[in-house]
Amino acid sequence: MQFAKRLEKIPPYLFAEINRKQNELVSQGVDIINMGVGDPDKPTPVHILQVMHEAIDDASNHNYPPYQGTQEFREAVAKWMERRFGVMGLNPNTEIISSVGSKEAIHNTFLAFVEAGDYTLIPDPGYPVYRTSTIFAGGEFFTMPLKAENDFLPDLSAIPEEVAQKAKLLWINYPNNPTGAIANLEFFTELVAFCKQYNILLCHDHAYSEMAYDGYKPPSVLQVPGGKDIAIEFHSLSKSYNMTGWRIGFVAGNATGIKGLTQVKSNIDSGVFKAIQKAAIAAYSSTNEAEPQAVMAVYQKRRDIIVQGLRSLGWPIQPPKATLYVWVPVPPGYSSAEFVTLLLDKCGIIVPPGHGYGAAGEGFFRIALTIADERLQAGIQRLKDAGIRYTMG
Ligand SMILES: Cc1ncc(COP(=O)(O)O)c(C=O)c1O
């Protein structure tokens, strides 16, 4: 049996070698601290679970859902976009669609808009799906490096004219995985103007829209006047409500973008289980601020443990304002691969190397704040015990 040629073009799985080593060390009895996985360790809030329990018993939820999501779900989303971002008047029938988590919708957007000869503009480092889905769609990606000196924002002036002319999609993701960086409305306004100039669909992956600290509220690209003319935004309940396993999100914005995505999706999936949509409506309709604040308080404490711990070992880092991640430079003299191997061998700590998210991620590694405080503290202690500091020998 032969795989399709397109599979040969997909880069090797980032964690494959790390997993192999982890299994080897675990079989030797090593206590591994895995700081690699961006999957919340806390349960879904109780009021969402209660709605799900009831919805699952209701036979009217058991048949095929509408492709674009139930009317009730899309209306709840439109209201949430108004309340949360001040984005008024999204049309639930043409400007909003439900998705099976955001990963699915991200991938299918490439299938809807990209073909051979087209470019996609994608961040580097970035969520690996932008890259692999460009390949699946038969297009070429042009990477936009996110550099510390530019606050991890792409430099639009570095995109060659001929690439911009052939580009169909431009992807951004703020708050950003893996760098933890944020973007303001002024930058979004520049992006909207750039994409309008070249007629590129601006795709904002907003998977971490609610994952912010110290009172910061990440903006929506649809807040930019005229943003909806050229942009769609991908939202997800995965991280905000500890619902990664439920697989639900939505896409909102430009009607042509939503139409293309709907056409692909209606041929590929059959929507999200209606009971899950009911649970998501409960999440988006809740005005109880205490709940998301409680979710973020957990991560904030962990962020502070990691940032203070690394600073005490000489690391020059600032606490991120958002996401579940801390993007950490490797000590001078090490590559990302060398340093994460050292952490695994000397400390039994697993972290993904920066270059796993793209070549411009070289020189960094990522810590996910998704394990218990004590494990993060134990990790810092292991670094101390092993004599690992930012400025080593
Ligand atoms: C930047 C980014 N986008 C999208 C996703 C996909 O999330 P989901 O499909 O669970 O909504 C993730 C998950 O880690 C992510 O980091």
Side-chain angles (χ1 to χ4, degrees):
M1 228 179 276
Q2 199 104 49
F3 290 134
K5 291 241 173 344
R6 75 175 71 86
L7 280 196
E8 288 167 16
K9 297 184 189 153
I10 303 298
Y13 179 50
L14 165 61
F15 291 98
E17 176 58 15
I18 301 178
N19 282 348
R20 195 194 57 73
K21 275 213 146 169
Q22 173 178 6
N23 292 340
E24 197 180 298
L25 289 170
V26 167
S27 71
Q28 290 164 15
V30 178
D31 172 29
I32 295 286
I33 300 180
N34 190 336
M35 300 185 187
V37 187
D39 194 355
D41 56 326
K42 299 284 181 189
T44 303
V46 171
H47 82 97
I48 301 176
L49 293 177
Q50 276 163 352
V51 171
M52 182 68 176
H53 284 307
E54 282 167 31
I56 214 161
D57 283 336
D58 177 352
S60 72
N61 291 326
H62 295 177
N63 58 353
Y64 283 121
Y67 291 118
Q68 69 275 42
T70 62
Q71 188 74 25
E72 195 192 355
F73 173 77
R74 285 176 282 121
E75 281 170 8
V77 162
K79 285 208 184 92
W80 182 76
M81 290 293 288
E82 286 186 15
R83 210 176 61 240
R84 168 65 180 84
F85 299 106
V87 172
M88 309 306 282
L90 282 172
N91 183 336
N93 298 322
T94 55
E95 294 173 336
I96 295 172
I97 183 173
S98 64
S99 61
V100 189
S102 54
K103 188 178 190 181
E104 166 272 309
I106 292 169
H107 173 74
N108 283 327
T109 301
F110 286 83
L111 295 191
F113 290 98
V114 178
E115 58 194 350
D118 292 338
Y119 271 101
T120 64
L121 303 170
I122 64 170
D124 176 1
Y127 183 52
V129 175
Y130 314 137
R131 186 177 294 246
T132 48
S133 294
T134 303
I135 299 170
F136 275 123
E140 302 279 332
F141 53 81
F142 180 87
T143 53
M144 303 179 292
L146 307 184
K147 297 183 184 159
E149 59 266 34
N150 293 337
D151 298 325
F152 299 107
L153 299 174
D155 174 7
L156 300 181
S157 68
I159 300 168
E161 177 69 22
E162 64 276 18
V163 172
Q165 295 283 0
K166 287 187 191 167
K168 287 290 181 63
L169 305 177
L170 187 153
W171 286 85
I172 48 158
N173 160 230
Y174 293 100
N176 184 259
N177 175 16
T179 66
I182 56 173
N184 59 23
L185 271 181
E186 204 181 325
F187 181 67
F188 286 166
T189 305
E190 260 178 59
L191 280 163
V192 165
F194 179 87
C195 288
K196 281 189 177 175
Q197 184 186 346
Y198 292 101
N199 198 23
I200 300 169
L201 182 62
L202 174 57
C203 299
H204 183 211
D205 177 355
H206 217 345
Y208 299 92
S209 69
E210 307 311 296
M211 314 309 291
Y213 305 105
D214 311 318
Y216 170 65
K217 290 266 184 198
S220 161
V221 80
L222 301 176
Q223 285 172 244
V224 175
K228 208 169 71 171
D229 299 344
I230 203 74
I232 53 176
E233 194 161 77
F234 297 72
H235 287 262
S236 170
L237 285 93
S238 285
K239 316 281 163 130
S240 330
Y241 299 93
N242 298 332
M243 287 172 73
T244 45
W246 296 57
R247 312 313 300 139
I248 180 149
F250 71 87
V251 187
N254 180 266
T256 308
I258 300 295
K259 192 173 173 192
L261 182 55
T262 310
Q263 199 171 335
V264 174
K265 279 174 62 57
S266 56
N267 282 287
I268 291 181
D269 70 66
S270 295
V272 178
F273 181 26
K274 281 191 271 183
I276 294 180
Q277 296 192 50
K278 284 252 156 78
I281 292 166
Y284 282 134
S285 306
S286 168
T287 48
N288 177 7
E289 279 292 311
E291 200 166 72
Q293 280 166 9
V295 170
M296 286 317 289
V298 169
Y299 294 120
Q300 184 149 339
K301 185 161 178 229
R302 294 174 182 176
R303 174 197 72 167
D304 295 343
I305 290 171
I306 284 295
V307 170
Q308 281 158 20
L310 288 175
R311 278 183 176 170
S312 75
L313 294 170
W315 255 275
I317 52 167
Q318 295 298 323
K321 288 205 169 60
T323 75
L324 320 175
Y325 309 114
V326 185
W327 187 237
V328 188
V330 299
Y334 283 86
S335 69
S336 292
E338 285 164 353
F339 190 68
V340 304
T341 306
L342 181 82
L343 287 183
L344 185 55
D345 291 344
K346 290 262 189 310
C347 306
I349 292 174
I350 293 194
V351 284
H355 68 277
Y357 298 90
E362 178 52 46
F364 289 85
F365 64 97
R366 193 192 77 173
I367 292 178
L369 304 171
T370 47
I371 55 171
D373 304 2
E374 309 79 64
R375 295 298 278 167
L376 294 172
Q377 271 150 351
I380 295 289
Q381 190 58 46
R382 287 187 190 185
L383 260 70
K384 275 188 191 146
D385 295 344
I388 295 177
R389 298 182 56 83
Y390 179 70
T391 43
M392 287 184 298

